[in-house]
Structures are given as structure tokens and as C-alpha cells.
Amino acid sequence: MQNESTPPQAGDSKAVGAQAGEPKTGDSLIGEEYEVEVGPVAHGGHCIARTAEGQVLFVRHTLPGEKIIARVTDGETGSRFLRADAVRIIEASKDRVEAPCKYAGPGMCGGCDWQHAKPGAQRRLKGEVIAEQLKRLAGLTPEEAGWDGTVMPAEGDKLPQGQVPAWRTRVQYAIDDEGRAGLRKHRSHEVQPIDHCMIAAPGVTELGIEKREWPQLAAVEAISATGSHDRQVILTPKPGGRLPLVELDKPVSVLRVEEHDGGVHRVHGRAFVRERADDRTYRVGSGGFWQVHPQAADTLVRAVMQGLLPRKNDTALDLYCGVGLFAGAIGQRIGEKGAVLGIESGKRAVEDARHNLKDLERVRIEHGKVDQVLPRTGITEADLIVLDPPRAGAGKATVKHLAGLGARRIAYVACDPAALARDLGYFREGGYKVRTLRAFDLFPMTSHVECVAILEPALKGS
């Protein structure tokens, strides 16, 4: 997922109250408890259960097949569904483990969904979600999608039970009213103060964000570059708040988010960090998007290049291109007569992409939204297409346009299985079939998963 959308952050904050788009329909059921048997996993880090009256429960902190006591956290009588936490386990799944993190559990940090599941079970659950979304939204079985049903761990993430991969190279800490750093509780603006995030990368942990107080700040984002020793913090002051003197445990660049325009400005040090992937260095400025897992960029480039198999003299599109990761990879493989056009909506990301790829004369980066810029280019055909859209997906109109360009191969990189499945359905309507699909566990302990689908024109009658 590139710059048009931020990567999932630990403890993403969402509105509290009635389900989105639902008017209040009755009396609040928050705090009510039900004994239930837990059904299948669902998209979003919870499992499905039903009350004795048949009302649907989306339950966190549980696993399929368990018998539990579920306490309602959101919903009213008459709601289509209720949200709940498993507050007592009556019959546990064989896949259950004690959560390694002391902040994981009902009412605490909302950043990790599956701390209570064995690592192999986590990947299996993610695979079940992908399969369900493919079937429901694209009408595809795993076999029809060229997928063996597995979700592959990143290199180095297979650890003994009780240990947690320290993978998150970018952590958005929320600051509570007392100036303590923490993470958001699930679907809440409330902050859970912490003294250590187990999934934070060592380069983030060594900054010591959790050890000090942050008066007059609303948030502190910590970034630890994978391809260099660059460290960066981005400070968001409270309205009218003053910027504190930043003294951390390691050398670090400091940026601040301006209250009046939301822009990110340099306070001292570099305004960017240097990342490394596919034997190239990429500048990523002002908190711009880069894959969060240290192995993610190389893993995804390999999957995309293995699927596309670029040839000399190919023409290619890299859509939602961010700082140019895939455009750079293709540009190095298509020779002096090939050409790549990247399109990205983030102004700073476009500047970075042009800087990062300035040695590749046959690569051009355009600024703007894909659905607006692509039709203006006048491009009527391309050999290869890569798209890495925001969480909402590319959408029907953009997919229809891409399907009309006659590409030999299309690589779709997705961090949301539902958006991927919807768009794969649109591609099928446009005459493309899925050749292969690969899934990667690049967000361990959370419900998120990254997929790479390779598409090709469908033979008539197939």
C-alpha cells in the first residue's frame, strides 16, 4: 500500500459508539455478557459468534471453536451485530497461548489482534480470511486464484513459542494527558500507556520513547530505517502546545506536524530516512510511506518481479507508486529502450521518487490521483502494470481502464483482502484471470496480511 493511505498503525483509532452508518436502534447492551460458542474467523481480527437469541457477535481475543464468556463493548438492542471481548475462556482452542505482551487483552492496547494465538495458527486464520473474501467478493476458490492457501512468514520471523517478532519499524505513539507514551485502545481514542512495545523494531525501541514524558504533545511517531542507521521522530503538538527539547538515547532527526496546515516540517537533522531494497537506496521524506516490516520491501519486489518477468524494451506502469519502489525495480530490468511511468498522489513522495530514480532515464513519475492522471496521459497500451493501491482498492473505473490496456501481466499488491477480492472480480469482468496469488505475513500478531496477485489475459471461453 503506497502513499495514498497510511499503513495500519498499532492501536488505530476509530469512532466509538454505534456501528458506522447505523442509527441507534435501542437500549445499549455495553457490558452485557453472553456464554457463546465461537464460530469462524472474520475479516478484522475477530471471530463470529451468536447469542442464544441469534444476534451476531464480533468477538476479539478468542479463537474458532472456543466456548467463552463474551462481554459486549459496542452495540444496542436491534443492532445488526454487536462487538464484544472474550473475558473468560471456558473451553480453549489448542491454538491458544498466553499472550506474550502484558498489554494485550480486553480493554488494553488495540494494536495486536492475535497475541493469544500460536504463530502458525495466526497465519492459518489469515489464510481463512483471504479464502473467504476471494469466494464471497470475487467468486474464486484458492485453486482458481493459483494459491496454495498458505500465508508465508517473513524471513527471520519463525521464533520459539513465547517470543514475538520485533518487526514494526514505524510506531505511532499516542500521548496521554499526563505526557506518557502509549498506544490506542481498540476502537477508542483512549491511550494505553506502555513501557515497551514487543513488536517494535530494535531501532525504534532503542530511541527510548516510552521512557520519557512528552508534555504538550498529542503524538510521537518513531521511525527506524531498515537500509541505514537513520532514525527519525515526528512530533505532533497538542493545539497551542510548544515543542519540547528532544533528548533521546540515540542520534535522531526531529520533524514536527504544523497545527495550521498539517504539514510536516524539519526541526533538525535530515528531513528523510534512507531505506534499502532490491540493491537500491530510497529516500523517504517527511514521514512518507515505506513498508513497515524490515523484510517487506524486498519480499514484495521479489514476488512482483517473479510474477511479471520483465523483458527488455517493455513498457510499464507503476500506479500508486510511492517513492518508486516497483518503478525502480522494473526500470533496472527493461533495458535502454523500455519505459516506466509511475503515478503517485503524494507531493513529497513524488519528489522522493524522482530523486530516487534519477539515474533511470526511462522512468518518469507523474503527480496526481491515478483515476485522474492516467486518462490524461493518452496511454493506450502497456506490457506490464503494477498497482499497489490504498486500503480501499483501485475501484471499478480504474480497473476497467487498466484492463483495456492489454498488459501481458498485471501485479496487484494488496494489504486488504476484501479490496483485493473486489478488484479481482472487476478484472475478471475486464477479461483478466488470476495466474498466481501469494500471501505474506508481514504484520505478525495483527490481523493484517499482504498479498501479491499476478493477472494475465484470460483465454476466450476460459
Side-chain angles (χ1 to χ4, degrees):
M1 178 177 59
Q2 300 292 358
N3 207 56
E4 293 197 358
S5 180
T6 55
Q9 290 286 356
D12 266 345
S13 173
K14 296 184 180 179
V16 184
Q19 285 82 8
E22 284 195 7
K24 288 187 176 293
T25 55
D27 296 329
S28 172
L29 291 175
I30 294 175
E32 291 292 317
E33 294 187 353
Y34 300 92
E35 181 177 318
V36 295
E37 293 187 1
V38 180
V41 65
H43 183 31
H46 47 252
C47 296
I48 298 173
R50 289 184 181 271
T51 67
E53 295 74 27
Q55 194 163 23
V56 173
L57 291 171
F58 289 155
V59 190
R60 284 171 57 81
H61 310 294
T62 189
L63 294 168
E66 292 189 326
K67 181 180 287 187
I68 64 166
I69 300 297
R71 180 181 298 154
V72 176
T73 58
D74 193 1
E76 304 88 29
T77 55
S79 295
R80 288 189 301 113
F81 59 86
L82 307 174
R83 298 185 186 276
D85 285 337
V87 293
R88 184 156 65 91
I89 310 301
I90 300 172
E91 295 179 7
S93 165
K94 62 180 176 57
D95 291 323
R96 177 173 284 276
V97 295
E98 183 177 352
C101 178
K102 63 183 179 181
Y103 301 111
M108 293 188 285
C109 174
C112 289
D113 305 294
W114 300 122
Q115 287 264 355
H116 58 286
K118 295 177 181 177
Q122 295 181 33
R123 293 190 289 272
R124 188 169 64 251
L125 291 170
K126 295 181 187 191
E128 291 174 8
V129 169
I130 295 169
E132 191 273 336
Q133 297 296 310
L134 287 173
K135 187 65 176 177
R136 185 169 65 88
L137 297 175
L140 294 172
T141 65
E143 292 76 17
E144 290 169 331
W147 177 45
D148 64 5
T150 62
V151 177
M152 297 299 296
E155 183 179 344
D157 278 358
K158 281 193 172 183
L159 299 173
Q161 186 170 313
Q163 295 185 28
V164 174
W167 58 270
R168 183 175 280 280
T169 60
R170 295 168 180 238
V171 177
Q172 176 94 33
Y173 294 94
I175 308 302
D176 70 8
D177 292 338
E178 298 179 26
R180 298 175 299 180
L183 300 171
R184 300 284 185 189
K185 298 182 179 182
H186 182 61
R187 293 178 59 83
S188 173
H189 293 288
E190 190 176 349
V191 178
Q192 170 66 61
I194 65 172
D195 56 23
H196 175 56
C197 175
M198 294 187 73
I199 65 172
V204 169
T205 300
E206 69 183 10
L207 293 177
I209 302 294
E210 303 102 332
K211 297 178 183 178
R212 60 160 293 168
E213 294 183 353
W214 299 92
Q216 303 191 58
L217 291 186
V220 177
E221 182 175 4
I223 299 170
S224 167
T226 300
S228 68
H229 294 293
D230 292 348
R231 305 288 182 263
Q232 187 179 86
V233 295
I234 303 175
L235 309 179
T236 303
K238 293 179 179 179
R242 298 179 60 185
L243 207 65
L245 178 65
V246 177
E247 294 181 352
L248 294 174
D249 296 345
K250 293 287 182 178
V252 64
S253 298
V254 178
L255 289 77
R256 71 168 287 162
V257 178
E258 294 293 344
E259 181 180 345
H260 67 281
D261 63 1
V264 182
H265 301 278
R266 183 176 67 89
V267 177
H268 69 76
R270 290 191 181 96
F272 57 86
V273 296
R274 294 164 296 178
E275 300 283 2
R276 187 84 179 160
D278 194 41
D279 294 325
R280 294 184 66 85
T281 297
Y282 289 84
R283 185 181 80 182
V284 184
S286 300
F289 177 78
W290 185 259
Q291 291 288 342
V292 181
H293 194 291
Q295 299 296 325
D298 275 324
T299 297
L300 296 175
V301 167
R302 281 195 300 270
V304 169
M305 294 303 106
Q306 289 169 0
L308 292 182
L309 296 176
R311 303 171 184 168
K312 299 295 184 182
N313 306 331
D314 272 343
T315 59
L317 296 173
D318 180 9
L319 308 179
Y320 318 94
C321 72
V323 299
L325 176 63
F326 298 116
I330 296 173
Q332 294 182 121
R333 292 165 169 83
I334 57 172
E336 296 179 356
K337 295 184 179 180
V340 183
L341 172 65
I343 301 176
E344 166 58 40
S345 67
K347 184 177 180 181
R348 179 56 196 261
V350 168
E351 294 173 0
D352 286 338
R354 289 170 177 168
H355 170 85
N356 294 333
L357 307 179
K358 61 187 178 183
D359 62 309
L360 300 174
E361 296 181 357
R362 301 293 290 170
V363 177
R364 179 164 60 95
I365 308 296
E366 292 289 340
H367 175 227
K369 293 186 176 181
V370 168
D371 60 352
Q372 297 173 4
V373 174
L374 187 57
R376 295 201 303 261
T377 64
I379 292 173
T380 58
E381 60 182 22
D383 296 309
L384 304 174
I385 298 171
V386 183
L387 64 158
D388 188 1
R391 295 188 66 79
K396 189 170 187 177
T398 296
V399 168
K400 182 179 179 180
H401 189 139
L402 297 179
L405 298 179
R408 181 177 76 248
R409 293 274 178 90
I410 298 173
Y412 190 124
V413 183
C415 64
D416 185 272
L420 171 66
R422 280 193 297 270
D423 284 348
L424 291 183
Y426 299 146
F427 271 114
R428 185 169 60 178
E429 294 173 6
Y432 276 78
K433 67 177 182 179
V434 185
R435 177 183 175 89
T436 61
L437 187 146
R438 298 172 69 183
F440 302 97
D441 189 17
L442 301 180
F443 307 94
M445 301 292 157
T446 80
S447 63
H448 302 289
V449 62
E450 199 86 17
C451 295
V452 176
I454 303 298
L455 298 96
E456 62 184 9
L459 298 176
K460 291 184 178 180
S462 64

